Amino acid sequence: MSAPALSTALYPPVAALRGATVAQPVRIRFPHNGAFHREMKKRVDDYFDTTGYSRRDLPRMYLKAAIIFAWFAATWVALVFWAPSLWVALPLSVVMGLAVSGIGMGVQHDANHGATSRNGRINRILGWSMDVMGASSHVWRTKHNTVHHTFTNVAGQDDDIDLGPLGRLAPGLPRRPMHRFQHIYMWALYGFLLPKWVFYDDVSNLKAGKLGCHNLAQPTGGTLYALLAGKLTFVSWSLIVPAFFHPLWAVVLCFFIMNFTVGLVLAVTFQLAHCVQEADFPMPEGADGRMSADWAEH
């Protein structure tokens, strides 16, 4: 059976889940991998065998990373050492926000997935670019690689669709009266995604040792030093160093514009993969947490 044929009509329709809410998280259980997973792996292996392409260490990926890093560095230098007026600094702050988004989506994501290089050290170095942008790569690897990619769109499990009481991004999450206006007010809240992530989410998750209902390992040794150094580096390049050359109010304004751009770009990009009418939000079939489809098909 072909992969497309295997991927249809296995989940309950979204409308059937609209009245459901998630009270207590349960341990999600996926069936053993079936025909879809085997067919998918076969097609991927056949692609690389046929084309002769390497799965990692592609020159174009390193070139992409170099271009994005150069984009970020050039914009930062222009913003801190050249911008002659606020009217130049403000659009440069938007460009800086786009560069930071590019690092997040085009460099650290691949590296922290272990997909850039066969060498784990290279992946870890490039993955640390996320820490330099303020967010912990240690937390992200658990949040994204483990939690999100395992429990995609499962309400109460996937931390990416959990906005707390502010927003309802899945039919299985609690409904509040304010949510009827979220299509209006969420645009403003999206702009605060990065500072919330950097200064609140990472700290609260590490303090609790949890990502929602999932355990989060406490960083130790070099991982802890990298996390702290990343936060300090972010504050240094985005606030402290610019404050030596420009009025503090102007630095804070540009910092806000940059962060708002990052938050809006990242939120809109990733919401398109989750919160659209075509997306499914499958829930466990019973109290034992068993899903109808295996993990790969889910």
Side-chain angles (χ1 to χ4, degrees), residues 14-240:
V14 171
L17 297 173
R18 293 197 183 279
T21 58
V22 176
Q24 293 294 330
V26 296
R27 181 180 179 185
I28 299 297
R29 303 171 186 273
F30 291 98
H32 292 299
N33 291 325
F36 175 85
H37 195 199
R38 292 192 295 271
E39 176 67 17
M40 179 182 66
K41 292 185 68 175
K42 177 181 180 299
R43 292 188 185 188
V44 171
D45 291 338
D46 288 347
Y47 171 81
F48 285 107
D49 291 342
T50 302
T51 62
Y53 290 156
S54 173
R55 296 170 186 251
R56 293 176 175 83
D57 293 305
L58 300 175
R60 285 183 293 178
M61 289 189 70
Y62 290 115
L63 177 61
K64 176 186 69 171
I67 291 172
I68 294 175
F69 285 142
W71 171 17
F72 169 80
T75 307
W76 185 82
V77 169
L79 190 58
V80 175
F81 300 107
W82 172 77
S85 69
L86 189 63
W87 301 113
V88 175
L90 292 181
L92 278 175
S93 299
V94 174
V95 175
M96 173 71 76
L98 296 174
V100 172
S101 301
I103 291 174
M105 293 186 288
V107 180
Q108 76 80 24
H109 177 276
D110 302 337
N112 280 310
H113 262 298
T116 300
S117 175
R118 296 183 184 89
N119 188 317
R121 181 170 295 180
I122 293 176
N123 287 326
R124 188 56 56 92
I125 292 172
L126 290 174
W128 192 67
S129 63
M130 183 175 197
D131 295 82
V132 175
M133 299 303 112
S136 168
S137 59
H138 168 76
V139 174
W140 188 88
R141 282 191 295 273
T142 299
K143 174 184 173 69
H144 183 80
N145 296 2
T146 303
V147 176
H148 166 65
H149 273 297
T150 303
F151 307 105
T152 308
N153 276 12
V154 180
Q157 299 283 337
D158 185 357
D159 193 62
D160 279 13
I161 59 172
D162 183 6
L163 299 183
L166 295 177
R168 182 172 182 259
L169 303 186
L173 294 173
R175 187 196 302 267
R176 301 173 186 271
M178 63 186 291
H179 294 158
R180 70 183 64 185
F181 305 110
Q182 68 180 15
H183 63 290
I184 300 173
Y185 67 75
M186 284 305 299
W187 293 100
L189 296 183
Y190 283 155
F192 295 92
L193 184 151
L194 185 59
K196 176 180 178 292
W197 190 349
V198 171
F199 299 114
Y200 176 77
D201 289 348
D202 281 349
V203 175
S204 61
N205 288 332
L206 287 167
K207 183 178 179 181
K210 290 279 189 179
L211 272 165
C213 61
H214 303 277
N215 292 329
L216 173 65
Q218 293 296 329
T220 58
T223 302
L224 177 59
Y225 292 134
L227 188 156
L228 297 175
K231 300 287 187 189
L232 179 59
T233 303
F234 172 71
V235 173
S236 296
W237 70 255
S238 62
L239 288 170
I240 296 176

